[in-house]
Amino acid sequence: MNKIAFITGATAGIGEACAKKLAKIGFDLIISGRRKENLEKLKQELIANYHVKVLAIELDVRIQKEVESKINSLPEEWTKIDLLLNNAGLAVGVSPVQEGMIDDWERMIDTNLKGLLYVTRTISPLMIARKTGQIINISSIAGKEVYPGGNVYCATKHAVDAITKGMRIDLLPHNIKVSSIAPGMVETEFSLVRFKGDAEKAEQVYNGFTPLYAEDIAETVEFIATRPAHVNINDILIMPANQASARDVNRV
Ligand code: NDP
Ligand code: 8X3
């Protein structure tokens, strides 16, 4: 049996690219997300192109009971999870805090922070039982810096950074490696979600410079996942060459 990777938010963007990359290097995959059609399409593509085993699970990481019951009822051969990629996440809105939409805040906190915790809480005991495993959390430049209108999104990603460090300490005696990746701007559906479907605004985010692509982050995941057993990559901050900080982008 190949190694098994569990990916949250595999229906688009970074998660989807990571699924393809990990399949290419021989992982069997549990792909999850809310959009059933996307999951099914990706599953067929992975099987056809990479000849790996794929299990697709419709999963909303915000629903703790669903996370627990779906993971705890995985078929036995799928419980030996070697790699967890906590990727599901989103930004919603760019309002200053005094005008912030409570529902936007809750979606970000429930997904980026609580969802990551629910999934980790359920999968880490499976790894502990086997005394092996690796967890990679997708954080962000927004977990290192704060920018106007980023308030709650930045808070959730700063929290991901703190949780990553805490997980690394707690899981140390159990031979589980914990890493995070903090990307700058990556062209995915991210900005479309942040601007609530406004394609024009979303496009403007990536105008005048070459952003990162999901494939760049997948290569970073591959690098972390393929280090020798005695090496852990704690954290990688990866930026487009034309972006120096969350706020400084060199546009032509
Ligand atoms: P996309 O919008 O392209 O993909 C987001 C993924 O998260 C989708 O697969 C979506 O699946 C999933 N998702 C969202 N909400 C939930 C939920 N409640 N339950 C399960 N899955 C969910 O964005 P990216 O690929 O860019 O984002 C992936 C991660 O990368 C996020 O954590 C984001 O914060 C982070 N990031 C992104 C950057 C960027 O510039 N794009 C930069 C730095 C970090 P579905 O809708 O089907 O549930
Ligand atoms: C997403 C990138 O620049 O919106 O995490 O913080 S940014």
Side-chain angles (χ1 to χ4, degrees):
M1 183 98 181
N2 291 332
K3 284 189 167 188
I4 296 174
F6 188 113
I7 304 176
T8 66
T11 56
I14 293 171
E16 182 183 343
C18 290
K20 291 177 185 167
K21 182 64 73 182
L22 290 171
K24 193 173 181 185
I25 61 170
F27 276 83
D28 290 331
L29 291 167
I30 305 172
I31 52 173
S32 67
R34 292 169 302 176
R35 282 171 285 177
K36 195 177 174 185
E37 274 176 26
N38 294 29
L39 283 175
E40 204 42 50
K41 188 166 165 272
L42 178 62
K43 177 179 172 175
Q44 296 314 330
E45 197 180 329
L46 293 171
I47 292 171
N49 292 345
Y50 306 108
H51 312 291
V52 293
K53 296 196 184 79
V54 182
L55 184 67
I57 305 180
E58 241 183 290
L59 186 67
D60 186 330
V61 296
R62 294 172 298 180
I63 307 172
Q64 192 268 333
K65 288 287 168 221
E66 187 177 310
V67 169
E68 195 178 281
S69 67
K70 290 195 174 173
I71 295 174
N72 284 339
S73 59
L74 285 172
E76 209 276 330
E77 68 271 24
W78 285 102
T79 58
K80 298 182 177 71
I81 296 164
D82 296 285
L83 171 61
L84 165 61
L85 180 62
N86 276 317
N87 163 74
L90 77 179
V92 201
V94 283
S95 301
V97 74
Q98 66 276 16
E99 293 165 17
M101 308 278 288
I102 305 298
D103 184 58
D104 293 350
W105 294 355
E106 286 178 347
R107 281 177 65 193
M108 290 187 274
I109 293 167
D110 289 351
T111 310
N112 303 356
L113 181 49
K114 291 165 72 178
L116 181 148
L117 284 170
Y118 298 155
V119 174
T120 303
R121 176 65 185 86
T122 314
I123 290 182
S124 56
L126 301 174
M127 292 179 169
I128 289 172
R130 297 174 57 232
K131 298 184 176 57
T132 183
Q134 179 164 31
I135 301 175
I136 304 175
N137 294 331
I138 302 297
S139 176
S140 171
I141 181 68
K144 315 277 183 196
E145 299 175 27
V146 179
Y147 51 83
N151 43 60
V152 175
Y153 178 66
C154 295
T156 64
K157 291 298 184 178
H158 275 68
V160 170
D161 246 24
I163 288 164
T164 302
K165 289 173 189 152
M167 283 165 59
R168 192 176 300 124
I169 295 166
D170 294 345
L171 297 170
L172 180 66
H174 303 287
N175 195 36
I176 296 167
K177 302 202 279 193
V178 182
S179 309
S180 57
I181 301 173
M185 290 154 106
V186 190
E187 190 168 11
T188 61
E189 293 177 10
F190 178 86
S191 292
L192 196 61
V193 173
R194 173 170 249 175
F195 292 110
K196 303 181 182 180
D198 186 331
E200 205 176 313
K201 271 193 188 161
E203 226 180 278
Q204 279 167 16
V205 173
Y206 311 109
N207 269 354
F209 78 110
T210 306
L212 294 171
Y213 298 109
E215 165 75 13
D216 298 315
I217 310 308
E219 279 182 0
T220 311
V221 167
E222 177 188 12
F223 176 75
I224 293 175
T226 53
R227 289 314 84 210
H230 70 287
V231 177
N232 187 49
I233 306 297
N234 283 6
D235 187 23
I236 290 182
L237 174 59
I238 172 171
M239 304 289 282
N242 278 315
Q243 184 181 9
S245 75
R247 301 177 73 169
D248 295 293
V249 178
N250 187 28
R251 297 178 199 262
V252 290

